[in-house]
Amino acid sequence: MAKPVLSDRLARWYLQFQQFEIIYVPAKAVKGQILADFLADHPIPAEWELTDELPDEEVFMVESPWSMYFDGAAHRDGAGAGVVFYTLEADVLPYSFTLTRRCSNNVAEYQALILGLETAVDMKQLHLRVYGDSKLVVNQLLGIYDVKKPELIPYYKYQDNSWDIWIVSL
């Protein structure tokens, strides 16, 4: 109803509802209210003993790995690659590279991935969650697609067994 110009249907409804005093209050805490409603509907019996000790406390100590986002692009004037790392401390580490040879977009994507992984090794970060927006590169690395173009085979085979990476498509 806050629009400057209302359509015919909205205008008719607006005129109908003007006779009532309607106050709209948005529900802001719906997610938090669900837990409170559940606890109110299912109270803990009085005979239950609550404890502060967690039997599987080590489960909560698992640190998630760093995240790496890579992207490559090629055009007629050259090619480039970009890599962004997100650390456990929520730091953002951006890197950009200029590729010296002309190449296809897929080769630029693979080079961005390899440059990012080599940078991670230099930073001694061998556990990564890797994200890429190239459907071809990600699906080839996951084994969903076969590598058919001969120029992509060396990039696909480039790997280091010390890396512990999870490839994810954006």
Side-chain angles (χ1 to χ4, degrees):
M1 296 298 173
K3 291 183 180 179
V5 178
L6 298 175
S7 68
D8 289 340
R9 182 178 290 166
L10 284 177
R12 277 187 259 144
W13 279 104
Y14 180 70
L15 290 174
Q16 290 290 326
F17 285 129
Q18 268 188 332
Q19 61 184 327
F20 304 106
E21 253 186 71
I22 298 175
I23 299 172
Y24 173 72
V25 178
K28 294 183 180 178
V30 173
K31 290 181 184 177
Q33 190 62 39
I34 291 172
L35 182 59
D37 290 342
F38 178 81
L39 292 174
D41 291 341
H42 302 85
I44 298 173
E47 64 271 5
W48 282 18
E49 289 186 26
L50 297 178
T51 178
D52 291 337
E53 295 179 21
L54 298 172
D56 296 327
E57 198 167 315
E58 66 275 359
V59 171
F60 298 108
M61 297 303 194
V62 176
E63 292 184 357
S64 60
W66 281 26
S67 297
M68 181 187 91
Y69 293 80
F70 70 93
D71 195 14
H75 53 85
R76 60 183 163 95
D77 295 330
V83 179
V84 177
F85 292 98
Y86 290 93
T87 69
L88 294 173
E89 296 80 25
D91 293 327
V92 178
L93 307 172
Y95 294 88
S96 62
F97 305 92
T98 301
L99 305 177
T100 56
R101 293 190 321 201
R102 293 184 62 187
C103 59
S104 67
N105 271 332
N106 293 328
V107 169
E109 291 280 349
Y110 265 113
Q111 287 186 352
L113 170 65
I114 292 169
L115 287 166
L117 292 174
E118 288 176 346
T119 304
V121 168
D122 290 344
M123 292 188 291
K124 305 212 180 334
Q125 289 300 321
L126 302 179
H127 303 285
L128 287 175
R129 193 173 301 265
V130 179
Y131 298 89
D133 65 347
S134 171
K135 186 175 182 179
L136 177 81
V137 172
V138 169
N139 285 330
Q140 284 177 348
L141 292 171
L142 292 174
I144 298 170
Y145 292 175
D146 293 330
V147 182
K148 296 180 181 177
K149 298 216 175 208
E151 66 267 14
L152 297 180
I153 292 173
Y155 297 106
Y156 173 76
K157 289 184 176 180
Y158 184 90
Q159 61 182 326
D160 185 337
N161 293 331
S162 65
W163 295 334
D164 183 15
I165 62 172
W166 296 277
I167 305 288
V168 182
S169 178
L170 290 179

